Coordinates of all heavy atoms in Angstrom, one line a residue:
A18 N 36.6 3.9 -12.2 CA 36.3 3.0 -11.1 C 35.2 3.6 -10.2 O 34.3 3.0 -9.7 CB 37.5 2.5 -10.4
D19 N 35.4 4.9 -9.9 CA 34.5 5.6 -9.0 C 33.1 5.7 -9.7 O 32.1 5.6 -9.0 CB 35.0 7.0 -8.7 CG 36.2 7.0 -7.7 OD1 36.5 5.9 -7.1 OD2 36.9 8.0 -7.6
L20 N 33.1 6.0 -11.0 CA 31.8 6.1 -11.7 C 31.1 4.7 -11.7 O 29.9 4.7 -11.5 CB 32.0 6.6 -13.1 CG 32.7 8.0 -13.2 CD1 32.9 8.4 -14.6 CD2 31.9 9.1 -12.4
D21 N 31.9 3.7 -12.0 CA 31.3 2.3 -12.0 C 30.7 2.0 -10.6 O 29.5 1.5 -10.6 CB 32.3 1.3 -12.3 CG 32.8 1.4 -13.8 OD1 32.1 2.0 -14.6 OD2 33.9 0.8 -14.0
A22 N 31.4 2.3 -9.6 CA 30.9 2.0 -8.2 C 29.7 2.8 -7.9 O 28.7 2.3 -7.3 CB 32.0 2.3 -7.2
A23 N 29.6 4.1 -8.3 CA 28.5 4.9 -8.0 C 27.2 4.4 -8.7 O 26.1 4.5 -8.1 CB 28.7 6.3 -8.5
I24 N 27.4 3.7 -9.8 CA 26.2 3.2 -10.6 C 25.9 1.8 -10.0 O 24.7 1.6 -9.7 CB 26.5 3.1 -12.1 CG1 26.7 4.5 -12.7 CG2 25.4 2.3 -12.8 CD1 25.5 5.3 -12.9
V25 N 26.8 0.9 -9.9 CA 26.5 -0.5 -9.6 C 26.3 -0.8 -8.1 O 25.7 -1.8 -7.8 CB 27.5 -1.5 -10.2 CG1 27.5 -1.3 -11.7 CG2 28.9 -1.3 -9.6
D26 N 26.9 0.0 -7.2 CA 26.8 -0.3 -5.8 C 25.4 -0.2 -5.2 O 25.1 -0.9 -4.2 CB 27.7 0.7 -5.0 CG 29.2 0.3 -5.0 OD1 29.5 -0.7 -5.6 OD2 30.0 1.0 -4.5
S27 N 24.5 0.4 -5.9 CA 23.1 0.5 -5.4 C 22.4 -0.9 -5.7 O 21.4 -1.2 -5.1 CB 22.3 1.6 -6.1 OG 22.4 1.5 -7.5
G28 N 22.9 -1.7 -6.6 CA 22.4 -3.0 -6.8 C 21.4 -3.2 -7.9 O 21.3 -4.3 -8.5
S29 N 20.7 -2.2 -8.3 CA 19.8 -2.3 -9.4 C 19.4 -0.8 -9.9 O 19.7 0.2 -9.1 CB 18.5 -2.9 -8.9 OG 17.7 -2.1 -8.1
V30 N 18.9 -0.8 -11.0 CA 18.5 0.5 -11.6 C 17.4 1.1 -10.7 O 17.4 2.3 -10.4 CB 18.0 0.3 -13.1 CG1 17.3 1.6 -13.6 CG2 19.2 0.0 -14.0
D31 N 16.4 0.3 -10.3 CA 15.3 0.8 -9.4 C 15.9 1.4 -8.1 O 15.5 2.5 -7.7 CB 14.3 -0.2 -9.1 CG 13.5 -0.6 -10.3 OD1 13.4 0.2 -11.3 OD2 12.9 -1.7 -10.3
R32 N 16.8 0.7 -7.5 CA 17.4 1.2 -6.3 C 18.3 2.5 -6.5 O 18.2 3.4 -5.7 CB 18.3 0.1 -5.7 CG 18.9 0.5 -4.4 CD 18.0 0.4 -3.2 NE 18.7 0.8 -2.0 CZ 18.2 1.7 -1.1 NH1 17.1 2.2 -1.3 NH2 18.9 2.0 -0.1
F33 N 19.0 2.5 -7.6 CA 19.8 3.7 -8.0 C 18.9 4.9 -8.1 O 19.1 6.0 -7.6 CB 20.5 3.5 -9.3 CG 21.3 4.7 -9.8 CD1 22.5 5.0 -9.3 CD2 20.7 5.5 -10.8 CE1 23.2 6.1 -9.8 CE2 21.4 6.6 -11.2 CZ 22.7 6.9 -10.7
R34 N 17.7 4.7 -8.8 CA 16.8 5.8 -8.9 C 16.2 6.2 -7.6 O 16.1 7.4 -7.3 CB 15.6 5.4 -9.8 CG 16.0 5.3 -11.3 CD 14.9 4.7 -12.1 NE 15.1 4.7 -13.5 CZ 14.7 3.8 -14.4 NH1 14.0 2.8 -13.9 NH2 14.9 4.0 -15.7
A35 N 15.9 5.3 -6.7 CA 15.3 5.5 -5.4 C 16.2 6.3 -4.5 O 15.7 7.1 -3.7 CB 14.8 4.2 -4.8
V36 N 17.5 6.1 -4.5 CA 18.4 6.7 -3.6 C 19.0 8.0 -4.2 O 19.7 8.7 -3.5 CB 19.5 5.8 -3.1 CG1 18.9 4.6 -2.4 CG2 20.4 5.4 -4.2
S37 N 18.7 8.4 -5.4 CA 19.2 9.6 -6.1 C 18.4 10.8 -5.5 O 17.2 10.8 -5.5 CB 19.0 9.5 -7.6 OG 19.8 8.5 -8.2
R38 N 19.2 11.8 -5.0 CA 18.6 13.0 -4.4 C 19.4 14.2 -5.0 O 20.6 14.2 -4.8 CB 18.8 13.0 -2.9 CG 18.0 11.9 -2.2 CD 16.5 12.2 -2.1 NE 15.8 11.2 -1.4 CZ 15.3 10.1 -2.0 NH1 15.3 9.9 -3.2 NH2 14.6 9.3 -1.2
L39 N 18.7 15.1 -5.6 CA 19.4 16.3 -6.1 C 19.9 17.2 -5.0 O 19.3 17.4 -4.0 CB 18.4 17.1 -7.0 CG 18.0 16.5 -8.3 CD1 16.9 17.2 -9.0 CD2 19.2 16.4 -9.3
R40 N 21.2 17.6 -5.2 CA 21.7 18.6 -4.3 C 21.0 19.9 -4.4 O 20.3 20.2 -5.4 CB 23.2 18.8 -4.6 CG 24.1 17.6 -4.3 CD 25.5 17.9 -4.6 NE 26.3 16.7 -4.5 CZ 26.9 16.3 -3.3 NH1 26.8 17.1 -2.2 NH2 27.6 15.2 -3.3
D41 N 21.1 20.7 -3.4 CA 20.3 22.0 -3.4 C 20.9 23.0 -4.4 O 22.1 22.8 -4.8 CB 20.2 22.6 -2.0 CG 21.5 23.0 -1.4 OD1 22.3 23.6 -2.1 OD2 21.7 22.8 -0.2
D42 N 20.1 23.9 -4.8 CA 20.5 24.9 -5.8 C 21.8 25.6 -5.4 O 22.7 25.9 -6.3 CB 19.4 26.0 -6.0 CG 18.3 25.4 -6.8 OD1 18.4 24.3 -7.3 OD2 17.3 26.2 -7.0
D43 N 22.0 26.0 -4.1 CA 23.2 26.7 -3.7 C 24.5 25.9 -4.0 O 25.5 26.4 -4.5 CB 23.2 27.0 -2.2 CG 22.2 28.1 -1.9 OD1 21.8 28.9 -2.9 OD2 21.8 28.3 -0.8
E44 N 24.5 24.6 -3.7 CA 25.6 23.7 -4.0 C 25.9 23.7 -5.5 O 27.0 23.7 -6.0 CB 25.4 22.3 -3.5 CG 25.7 22.1 -2.0 CD 25.6 20.7 -1.6 OE1 24.5 20.2 -1.5 OE2 26.7 20.0 -1.5
L45 N 24.8 23.5 -6.2 CA 24.9 23.4 -7.7 C 25.4 24.7 -8.3 O 26.3 24.6 -9.2 CB 23.6 22.9 -8.3 CG 23.1 21.5 -8.0 CD1 21.7 21.3 -8.5 CD2 24.0 20.5 -8.5
L46 N 24.9 25.8 -7.8 CA 25.4 27.1 -8.3 C 26.8 27.4 -8.0 O 27.6 27.9 -8.8 CB 24.5 28.2 -7.8 CG 23.1 28.3 -8.4 CD1 22.2 29.2 -7.6 CD2 23.2 28.8 -9.8
R47 N 27.3 27.0 -6.8 CA 28.7 27.2 -6.5 C 29.6 26.3 -7.4 O 30.6 26.8 -7.9 CB 29.0 26.7 -5.0 CG 28.7 27.8 -4.0 CD 29.3 27.5 -2.6 NE 28.7 26.3 -2.1 CZ 27.6 26.2 -1.4 NH1 26.8 27.3 -1.3 NH2 27.2 25.1 -0.9

């Protein structure tokens, strides 16, 4: 349900892409 919401709540594929921001390397490395 959380995964579904994370994908569909943006409303469209274009909007999902537009609001996607990679976390910084430190967070990813931790």
